[in-house]
Amino acid sequence: MLLYSTRIAPSTIHGLGCFTTEDIKQGATVWQYDGRLDRRIPKSELGDFPPGVQAYLNMYAYEEDIDGERMMTLCGDQAKHMNHSDAPNLLEGPDGINVAGRDIAAGEELTCDYSKFDLSVKF
């Protein structure tokens, strides 16, 4: 769940991106998993969904290991539109949270390094 206000807009990185609408200070927690909004689905259950839902999950969910089980984590808010960067402004913090790696100005696209948390990433 994003802890700052954001908007979705065209991205120069890829398709749509997630842009902050407020300044964020370095070190601030920007995103954290919250089961009230975000969902974890066992990867083993992916085939139980219709093809369109499988395609959606493959596009917007990321894969992680939770207690030895491969899970697909789907952000329930605009965070699912965060794009990858080799020099992201969000960094992985403890327990999978995302923290601002530097001061981020309102209007900037929020980016993260997929390879730091998504087990399905193949660059």
Side-chain angles (χ1 to χ4, degrees), residues 25-39:
K25 293 288 185 194
Q26 181 176 4
T29 298
V30 178
W31 183 91
Q32 63 188 24
Y33 179 84
D34 187 320
R36 295 172 298 172
L37 182 64
D38 307 309
R39 291 287 177 241

Side-chain angles (χ1 to χ4, degrees), residues 30-105:
V30 178
W31 183 91
Q32 63 188 24
Y33 179 84
D34 187 320
R36 295 172 298 172
L37 182 64
D38 307 309
R39 291 287 177 241
R40 288 188 171 130
I41 301 161
K43 172 91 177 196
S44 61
E45 295 179 14
L46 184 63
D48 296 342
F49 291 100
V53 175
Q54 291 180 44
Y56 179 83
L57 290 172
N58 282 321
M59 170 66 78
Y60 290 108
Y62 60 90
E63 293 182 32
E64 60 182 336
D65 184 284
I66 304 293
D67 298 326
E69 184 173 12
R70 194 74 166 249
M71 303 294 279
M72 298 191 77
T73 300
L74 179 65
C75 298
D77 58 13
Q78 296 93 324
K80 69 176 148 270
H81 291 285
M82 273 193 226
N83 284 311
H84 168 81
S85 173
D86 290 332
N89 52 23
L90 298 181
L91 305 175
E92 284 294 299
D95 300 319
I97 64 171
N98 289 137
V99 298
R102 60 170 174 76
D103 288 346
I104 304 169

